[in-house]
Amino acid sequence: MSATGTRRLTTAQALVRFLAAQYTERDGVRHRLIAGTWGIFGHGNVAGVGQALVEYRGVMPFHQGRNEQAMVHAAVGYARQLNRLSAQAVTTSIGPGATNLVTGAALATVNRLPVLLLPGDYFASHAAGPLLQQLEHPVEADVSVNDALRPVSRYFDRISRPEALLASALRAMRVLADPAETGAVTLALPQDVQAEAFDWPEEFFADRVWRVRRPAPDPEELTEAVQALRAARRPLIVAGGGVHHSEAEAALRALVDATGIPVASTQAGKGALRHDHPADLGGIGHTGTAVADGLARTADLVIGVGTRYSDFTTASGTLFQDPDVRFLNLNITAFDAHKLAARTLVCDARAGLTALTEALSGHRVPSSYEDEYRAGRTRWEQKVRAALRADDDSAVPTQTQVLGALDAVVGDEDVVINAAGSLPGDLHKLWRSRSPRQYHLEYGYSCMGYEIPAALGVQQAAPGTAVWALVGDGTYLMNPTEIVTAVQENLPVKLVLVQNHGYASIGGLSESVGAERFGTDYRHRAADGTFTGAPLPVDLAANAASLGMDVLRAKTVRELREALTTARAATRPTCVYVETAAARDALPAEAWWDVPVAEVSAREPVTDARARYEHAVADRRHHL
C-alpha cells in the first residue's frame, strides 16, 4: 500500500478483494454477500481471476466445478437456501465456458435469485486477435459471445478499463442485494484488463454493508386491501416463493390463524405453511391438489403473496372462474404485484402480512367456509396416503411409492430438491412439507440437470443437513458431472436416481397432444424407426459409482426404504438407484395447462387432441 491511500493491484485482484468485503444485513443479522467462488479455468481467466483467487484464498473460498452451467446451479441453490442474503460468484474462461453460463443465468433471473458471473472476454486493447475462442463480428467489434448474457442478466457490464470497476462493482452489489431487482449479474472481464495493475483507492476495499430492506405497505394501499378482505366471503391466499425469501412463514401463519383464510402454494411457495396446518391446501394450479384447485375456481378474492403467477399456477388463465373474482397482490416487486389487474400491496412479505393481521383484528371467514375446505383437506389426504402407500413390500415400487418411502425416512429439516420431469407434478400434489426449506423445487425455468449441482450449493449453505436430489434418468444424463465435485469436497449429498427409461413427463404430454410419445423413450430403435421395446443396456448406477459415489441398488419397496435409511446416515456422497414399475399411479391433473395442438393433421390422435384443446381453451379468462 502506498502513502497516498491507494493500493496497487491488478483488476482481478482488486475485484476479489472487494468481493470479500461485501456484506448484507437484514433484521440486524449480517451475512457475507459473496461467500465463495466457483470456477473452471482456461486461458481467459487463469492468469487474472485465477491468480487473484490464489492471492486471496484466505478470504475467498474456492470451489472447483466441472461444468459451467452446473456451477451456476450450485450457486443458485446456495442463495435460495439462505433466503437470498448470501450468494456465490462463478468465473469462467472466454468462449464456450462463458456461453455455458447462459442457461444458469436465465434460471437465476427467472427465479429472482442472486448469482455473480465473471466470464473472461476478448482483449479490450484489441492488441491480440482474433483470440482463441473469440467470435468475430464483422461490423460490431465490441460484441463478444458474452453479450448473449445480456438478456438473462439483471445487470451487465464489460470492464474495459480498470477504473471502470469502481462504479460497476458497486452497481453489481446493489442489484444482487436488492430483493426487488436481484437475479444474475454479469461482469465480463477482458483478459488484458484482468491482469492490468491500477492504484485503487483504499476505500474500495473497506467493509461495506448492503441493508436488505423490508419496505412497509403504503397506508392507502393497506386500507384498500383490508376493505377487500373484509368484504370477501371466499378468500384464498396463493403463497409464492417470496414468502420464503422474506422469511415470512410465521407472519403468514399468524394471519391465517387469526382469519381462517386458506392457503394454496406454488411450487416455489410450498412449505409456507406446514402440511398439517388446518388451512394448508397444498399445491395450486395444473399440478395442484383437488381441494386447492376447487376453492380457486370459486374464490371471490385471491391474495397472491410473493408469487409471479406462472401459467402452471393460473392453469393458463383458466383456474379462477368466479365471475366477480378480484385479486390482491402483496409483492416486493411492483411488476408482479400489478399482474391480473390486482389491487396492490408493494412491500416486503413479512411486513405486509403483519400489517394485514393487525388491521384485520377480529375478522374471520365464515365458519361454513372453514368447514368446507377442512373437509376437502381430509378427502385429499386420503388420496395422498393411498398414492404413497405400498401394500406389497416385495414389489417393484412405482414413482409415487418412491416418494412415500422417502417421506417415511426424511427428517423435518431435510431438503428435497427437484426441477424437471414427471417428479415435480407428483411432488407438488403429494409431498407433505414439514419445514420452510424442506421443499426445493426449481420450477420457474424447470431446468433438467439442476438437481445435483443445486444439492451441492444447498449442502454448502446448510452443513449438517441431509440434502436429497431427486433425479430421473433423463435429467441425470443431462448433468451428472458435479458428483465429482461433491466427492472432492466431501459433500454428503444424497442422490435418489429414478430409472423409468425415458422422458416420462414429456412422453405423457406428447401422447396427450397426438404426438404419440415420439422421441421420448430410451429403447432400441428398429430400422423402420419404431421402438423394439427393449431398454438400452445403460447402467446409470454404475456411472454414478464411476464418478465416486457410494451406490445402493434397490429393487423392491423394502430394499428402497432400507437404502434410503442408509443413505440418510451416510457421511459421503451416496446414490440410491431404483428402477420403477412401468405403470405410474400418479393422481391426474386437477387443472388444465395450455400446450397448443396442431390445428390441422391427417392423424386421428391429433384431431381428437385438438378438439379437447378447443374445449379447454374456451375457459380462459382475461382478468382486467
Side-chain angles (χ1 to χ4, degrees):
M1 184 174 65
S2 73
T4 59
T6 61
R7 192 183 307 190
R8 191 161 183 80
L9 301 172
T10 69
T11 302
Q13 291 166 355
L15 175 59
V16 172
R17 187 64 190 86
F18 167 85
L19 294 177
Q22 306 304 302
Y23 297 87
T24 62
E25 185 175 286
R26 185 168 73 181
D27 303 330
V29 180
R30 188 170 294 190
H31 307 262
R32 277 280 296 270
L33 176 50
I34 305 298
T37 298
W38 289 86
I40 295 176
F41 296 116
H43 64 89
N45 65 340
V46 66
V49 174
Q51 187 282 325
L53 288 168
V54 173
E55 191 96 9
Y56 292 109
R57 57 187 168 186
V59 294
M60 178 57 69
F62 175 74
H63 310 291
Q64 183 178 350
R66 267 72 194 178
N67 173 282
E68 291 86 359
Q69 177 182 320
M71 292 193 297
V72 186
H73 294 337
V76 166
Y78 179 92
R80 175 170 169 173
Q81 181 68 20
L82 295 176
N83 299 314
R84 308 191 299 188
L85 296 171
S86 187
Q88 294 176 321
V90 177
T91 180
T92 71
S93 185
I94 188 175
T99 52
N100 282 350
L101 296 173
V102 174
T103 296
L107 181 147
T109 297
V110 164
N111 287 285
R112 279 71 158 171
L113 292 166
V115 61
L116 177 61
L117 308 179
L118 305 173
D121 214 323
Y122 58 59
F123 279 56
S125 66
H126 294 273
L131 301 176
L132 176 65
Q133 299 177 327
Q134 180 181 348
L135 174 69
E136 292 184 280
H137 195 289
V139 295
E140 295 181 79
D142 63 340
V143 168
S144 82
V145 294
N146 287 336
D147 288 277
L149 287 160
R150 288 182 184 271
V152 293
S153 297
R154 292 291 290 172
Y155 178 80
F156 179 98
D157 195 10
R158 179 175 287 112
I159 309 302
S160 56
R161 293 179 58 83
E163 58 267 36
L165 182 65
L166 292 168
S168 193
L170 293 174
R171 293 171 186 152
M173 297 304 104
R174 181 195 67 78
V175 172
L176 288 170
D178 190 321
E181 293 191 37
T182 195
V185 167
T186 300
L187 297 180
L189 302 172
Q191 296 173 64
D192 51 348
V193 177
Q194 287 184 51
E196 187 175 343
F198 182 75
D199 293 323
W200 303 89
E202 194 62 40
E203 295 86 350
F204 188 58
F205 307 112
D207 286 359
R208 192 179 301 267
V209 178
W210 302 86
R211 287 190 170 78
V212 180
R213 300 182 298 278
R214 287 196 182 277
D218 175 83
E220 292 187 8
E221 287 193 336
L222 180 61
T223 298
E224 291 183 356
V226 170
Q227 290 173 348
L229 279 161
R230 288 187 179 277
R233 302 294 294 172
R234 299 179 65 82
L236 172 67
I237 292 172
V238 176
V243 176
H244 294 307
H245 298 328
S246 175
E247 298 175 287
E249 296 90 357
L252 175 65
R253 186 172 61 250
L255 173 65
V256 171
D257 288 344
T259 64
I261 302 173
V263 176
S265 56
T266 69
Q267 287 279 18
K270 195 171 172 72
L273 285 183
R274 255 188 76 105
H275 76 95
D276 52 4
H277 190 284
D280 180 63
L281 308 182
I284 191 170
H286 178 62
T287 54
T289 68
V291 58
D293 286 352
L295 261 67
R297 292 185 179 95
T298 60
D300 57 359
L301 181 67
V302 178
I303 306 104
V305 182
T307 177
R308 63 190 189 91
Y309 287 111
S310 76
D311 63 335
F312 258 56
T313 299
T314 68
S316 299
T318 65
L319 186 57
F320 306 110
Q321 285 296 325
D322 185 278
D324 299 316
V325 66
R326 305 304 293 175
F327 296 83
L328 167 64
N329 291 338
L330 191 166
N331 205 296
I332 200 166
T333 306
F335 175 79
D336 291 314
H338 282 274
K339 289 177 177 176
L340 301 176
R343 290 185 175 91
T344 60
L345 274 178
V346 181
C347 60
D348 170 73
R350 182 194 288 184
L353 290 168
T354 300
L356 284 174
T357 303
E358 294 171 353
L360 286 166
S361 178
H363 174 73
R364 195 167 184 89
V365 301
S367 59
S368 59
Y369 185 47
E370 291 190 73
D371 292 342
E372 177 187 345
Y373 70 68
R374 291 187 182 192
R377 272 180 44 86
T378 300
R379 291 192 297 272
W380 183 255
E381 179 61 23
Q382 291 171 349
K383 292 185 176 182
V384 170
R385 289 175 180 172
L388 299 180
R389 185 177 61 244
D391 296 324
D392 182 1
D393 278 2
S394 63
V396 175
T398 64
Q399 182 163 289
T400 57
Q401 289 168 351
V402 171
L403 298 183
L406 184 62
D407 175 75
V409 169
V410 300
D412 284 8
E413 300 303 318
D414 289 15
V415 179
V416 177
I417 300 172
N418 187 243
S422 56
L423 279 165
D426 290 350
L427 286 160
H428 201 204
K429 291 188 192 77
L430 301 174
W431 190 260
R432 299 180 284 201
S433 299
R434 308 173 201 173
S435 61
R437 278 292 166 216
Q438 184 176 78
Y439 188 87
H440 183 126
L441 258 286
E442 187 289 297
Y443 218 58
Y445 210 50
S446 188
C447 185
M448 296 178 71
Y450 171 82
E451 295 91 339
I452 295 173
L456 272 61
V458 172
Q459 192 75 81
Q460 289 173 338
T465 298
V467 180
W468 302 84
L470 272 60
V471 177
D473 51 344
T475 288
Y476 179 84
L477 288 168
M478 286 275 187
N479 202 3
T481 54
E482 295 328 285
I483 288 174
V484 178
T485 299
V487 172
Q488 183 179 38
E489 298 210 1
N490 197 30
L491 296 171
V493 296
K494 294 91 174 62
L495 170 61
V496 180
L497 178 50
V498 179
Q499 172 65 278
N500 55 22
H501 301 289
Y503 298 121
S505 174
I506 295 302
L509 182 61
S510 170
E511 189 170 47
S512 73
V513 299
E516 304 172 45
R517 294 184 176 263
F518 179 76
T520 64
D521 283 333
Y522 289 165
R523 292 181 291 164
H524 283 287
R525 188 187 297 271
D528 62 358
T530 60
F531 292 106
T532 66
L536 298 176
V538 175
D539 190 340
L540 299 184
N543 179 263
S546 76
L547 297 176
M549 280 197 128
D550 291 343
V551 176
L552 306 169
R553 295 175 184 258
K555 295 182 179 180
T556 66
V557 173
R558 182 184 301 107
E559 290 176 1
L560 176 61
R561 289 199 195 102
E562 293 170 352
L564 292 171
T565 300
T566 300
R568 189 172 188 276
T571 57
R572 66 181 313 277
T574 302
C575 170
V576 175
Y577 174 85
V578 57
E579 185 167 354
T580 55
R584 294 179 61 245
D585 56 358
L587 297 170
E590 297 291 340
W592 185 64
W593 181 44
D594 191 349
V595 178
V597 179
E599 192 168 359
V600 295
S601 173
R603 303 183 67 82
E604 185 177 350
V606 180
T607 57
D608 291 345
R610 179 67 191 191
R612 294 191 298 270
Y613 176 82
E614 291 176 354
H615 177 77
V617 80
D619 290 333
R620 175 175 286 139
R621 294 183 59 185
H622 298 283
H623 299 284
L624 301 173

